[in-house]
Amino acid sequence: MHHYNLQLVLLSYVVAALGSFTALRLIGDLAAVRPGRERTLTLVTAAAVMGLGAIWAMHFIAMLAYHFGMPVTYDIPLTAASALVAVVACFMGLSLAARERPSMMNFITSGSFMGIGVALMHYMGMAAMRMAAYMWYDGAIAALAALIAIVASIAALWIAFKHRGPVQTVVGALVMGVAVCGMHYTGMAGAHFEPNGQPIQSGGLGGQHLAVVVFAMAATLMAVVLARVLVRQRRLATGF
């Protein structure tokens, strides 16, 4: 019988919210960064943290939380491609939201990019699954899941960047965590699995190995970006 590990479900939201906060906090200082290489690097780093740390890591922790009642592995190239899609979508979305005076249309466009990126990452990640079962989706629930991701992403970016304060950043991160998790768990509610007895293809990434990779990647990203934020704050404060 299919069921969730509730501790991992909670951890998936924590990872999504922390990843979102780290990314939003990083680009919150962009007003003090002159256009050029450093600004681009900051946006790329924030997109990587959001795409990998908040979206991709959350997805696979949530998948590990779901017990299928059968072995599951993941196709490595397709899994990597899903992570790249999330990062690119976040880069496009954050680039628009991080403008000096973003309009409501900027937030709608940027949030749509990020929401669609969340949805694409999710369904590419699902397509990467290798199991002895057929999988299909309820179209209405899948559409609802994508809509949740888009609307919540727009709201998260609007909250985080409308006034660019620390409280707004925290609230925006919490809402972005809802966007990522809301899309994932709603989408999973519309997914159906029917055992077919076929052997699993070899060469995939197994659950235990995937857990190590996901946690290590998320922790490394958070540590690197946090160090970057602290160094920047010290440099701005001292003038060096």
Side-chain angles (χ1 to χ4, degrees):
M1 182 174 178
H2 304 165
H3 65 278
Y4 281 103
N5 179 316
L6 295 182
Q7 287 81 9
L8 287 180
V9 169
L10 177 59
L11 181 61
S12 71
Y13 176 76
V14 171
V15 168
L18 285 178
S20 299
F21 173 79
T22 305
L24 294 175
R25 183 65 188 83
L26 179 62
I27 63 176
D29 294 330
L30 276 182
V33 178
R34 288 177 293 183
R37 181 178 178 181
E38 185 176 357
R39 184 181 180 88
T40 301
L41 179 60
T42 298
L43 284 169
V44 169
T45 304
V49 171
M50 183 76 81
L52 295 177
I55 298 173
W56 189 85
M58 177 273 148
H59 170 84
F60 284 102
I61 291 173
M63 293 307 298
L64 293 171
Y66 189 79
H67 293 271
F68 291 90
M70 66 184 75
V72 179
T73 63
Y74 294 86
D75 179 80
I76 295 175
L78 191 52
T79 298
S82 70
L84 180 61
V85 165
V87 173
V88 171
C90 288
F91 178 79
M92 297 172 71
L94 292 174
S95 296
L96 288 171
R99 293 183 176 182
E100 186 175 354
R101 293 184 178 85
S103 64
M104 192 62 216
M105 185 55 66
N106 288 136
F107 289 123
I108 292 174
T109 304
S110 59
S112 296
F113 272 125
M114 292 185 63
I116 291 171
V118 172
L120 283 176
M121 188 275 127
H122 172 81
Y123 288 109
M124 288 180 69
M126 295 291 288
M129 295 172 63
R130 300 291 178 258
M131 66 173 76
Y134 297 113
M135 177 173 57
W136 72 94
Y137 299 98
D138 182 310
I141 295 179
L144 175 62
L147 182 62
I148 289 173
I150 292 171
V151 172
S153 295
I154 293 171
L157 293 175
W158 183 83
I159 293 169
F161 291 103
K162 187 62 177 178
H163 301 292
R164 299 177 186 265
V167 174
Q168 289 85 347
T169 300
V170 171
V171 175
L174 295 175
V175 174
M176 191 65 205
V178 171
V180 180
C181 291
M183 188 278 139
H184 177 91
Y185 291 111
T186 302
M188 286 297 292
H192 302 275
F193 306 92
E194 181 180 345
N196 58 21
Q198 296 181 0
I200 300 175
Q201 299 178 11
S202 61
L205 190 64
Q208 291 182 344
H209 296 94
L210 185 58
V212 174
V213 171
V214 170
F215 280 110
M217 181 177 292
T220 300
L221 276 173
M222 301 301 175
V224 170
V225 173
L226 179 60
R228 180 176 173 81
V229 170
L230 293 175
V231 169
R232 173 183 290 172
Q233 289 178 337
R234 182 175 179 181
R235 185 178 63 186
L236 293 175
T238 61
F240 295 99

